[in-house]
Amino acid sequence: QRDDASKHVERAEQKMERLMTTRSDVLEKCTMDEIELPRRKKKKRDDDGDEQMEDVEEEEGDVMEVDEDEGHSQSVKQTRKEIKKDKFDFSRLSRDHRKEMGDKEQQRIRGEVDEQIKKITDTLATMAPNMKAHEQLKEIETRYDDVQAEMLDAKKKSQDLARDFEEVKQKRCDAFNKCFEHVKDCIDTVYKELTSDPTKIEQSVGGSAYLTLNNQEEPYLDGIKYDTIPPGKRFMDMTHLSGGEKTVAALALLFSINSYFPAPFIVLDEVDAALDARNVAKVTRYIRARRKEQQCVIISLKERFYEKADGLVGICRDAVGAQSKVFTLDLTQYEENTA
C-alpha cells in the first residue's frame, strides 16, 4: 500500500512539473509580448491607519515546509514555493473560465483566444500604424509651442500697433477738426467781405457761406458740404451758381484756409476770368486791404485788376533776340488818384 501511495505521489509530482513548465512558458511569453498579468493585492495599513494595497510576495519563511519523511521530494517544495511567490488575480475571468476543465475544453478556449488575437493582429496590420508617431508627436508639439510663442508675440505687436494707430488717428482727427472749426468760423465773414458793396443797399451786408461735414466721426474720410448764398439771391446748390459767383466762393474758401496757416505768398492765375467789373472791384478791394498781411502774385489780363497792384511785371516776346523780355514797374511811387 505504501508503494501505491508513492507511485501516486510520483505521478502527481510529474503532472505538477508539467503544469509548472507550461505555466513558466506562458509567463515567459507574456513577458516577451509585454503583457502585464493582474496580481493579487493584499491589504496593508500605513502609519495613519489607512489601508493600502500592495503586491503579494511571499518570503521563503512563509512557504509551507513539508517533512521529507512524508515522501515529498525537494522539487515539490520548490514548486510550491514558486506557486506561492507569484499569485495572480483571476477574478476578471468569467465563471466558466475559472472552473476546472479538461484538455479539450482548454484547447477550445485557447483556439477562441488565438482566433481573437489573430483578428486583432490582422486589424492592426491593415491599419499600418506609424511606429514613429511618438517621435513625430514630440516634434509637432515642439513646433506648436514655437508657433504659439510667435503668435503671442505677433498678437502683442498687433495690439501695440493698434494702440499707436488709434493715437495717430485721434491726433489726425483733432488736427483736422481744429482747422475745420477755424475755417468754418471765418468763411462766412470772408465771403461777406468779398460780396459786399457799400454803394448798394441790398448788397451792403454781403452774402452767406456755410461749411458742414458729411462724416462727423472720421471727417477726413468723407466730403465737406460747401454752400453759399450770394447777396440778394435765394439759396441754391453750388452747381447752379454762375461762373463769377463760383469764383468768389472759391476765393472765400482759399482765403479762409490760408488764414489758419498763412503761406509766405499766394499765386492766383487769372482768377478774374469769369468776374465782371463789379466783382473784380470787390476782390481787389479785399486783397488790397490785406496786402500788408498777405503777399499775392496775380496773373491777370484785366486792367481793372492789375491797376490796383503795387507793382507790375510784364512779359513779352523780343523779336530781335527771339526770346522773352521782362518789364517791371513799381506803382507805389505813383499816388492813387482819388479825385
Side-chain angles (χ1 to χ4, degrees), residues 54-173:
E54 63 177 7
D55 292 340
V56 176
E57 292 185 0
E58 297 289 347
E59 297 180 356
E60 293 183 1
D62 296 335
V63 180
M64 183 183 296
E65 296 290 345
V66 180
D67 192 359
E68 293 183 0
D69 295 339
E70 296 180 1
H72 289 77
S73 64
Q74 185 66 25
S75 61
V76 175
K77 295 169 66 176
Q78 183 66 22
T79 301
R80 288 188 176 184
K81 178 181 177 182
E82 293 178 355
I83 292 174
K84 286 205 170 187
K85 183 178 180 181
D86 293 324
K87 291 189 176 182
F88 299 101
D89 184 9
F90 298 101
S91 60
R92 299 182 184 179
L93 297 176
S94 63
R95 181 175 299 178
D96 294 338
H97 289 171
R98 278 185 287 177
K99 70 181 181 179
E100 187 176 357
M101 57 187 67
D103 294 339
K104 291 184 178 179
E105 188 68 15
Q106 293 180 12
Q107 290 293 335
R108 182 184 66 80
I109 294 175
R110 187 176 292 108
E112 292 177 356
V113 174
D114 291 341
E115 183 66 23
Q116 293 178 2
I117 293 175
K118 184 177 182 303
K119 289 182 179 179
I120 294 173
T121 303
D122 294 341
T123 302
L124 290 175
T126 56
M127 291 173 61
N130 186 1
M131 304 307 295
K132 296 183 179 180
H134 185 66
E135 298 178 0
Q136 294 177 355
L137 177 61
K138 289 185 177 180
E139 182 180 353
I140 292 174
E141 288 177 347
T142 303
R143 290 170 53 194
Y144 172 79
D145 294 338
D146 295 340
V147 173
Q148 187 77 2
E150 292 178 1
M151 185 200 71
L152 294 176
D153 185 58
K155 185 176 180 181
K156 183 178 181 302
K157 291 181 179 179
S158 176
Q159 293 174 349
D160 295 340
L161 290 175
R163 183 173 59 254
D164 295 341
F165 174 79
E166 290 298 328
E167 292 178 359
V168 173
K169 178 181 175 182
Q170 186 62 41
K171 292 180 180 179
R172 179 185 182 187
C173 187

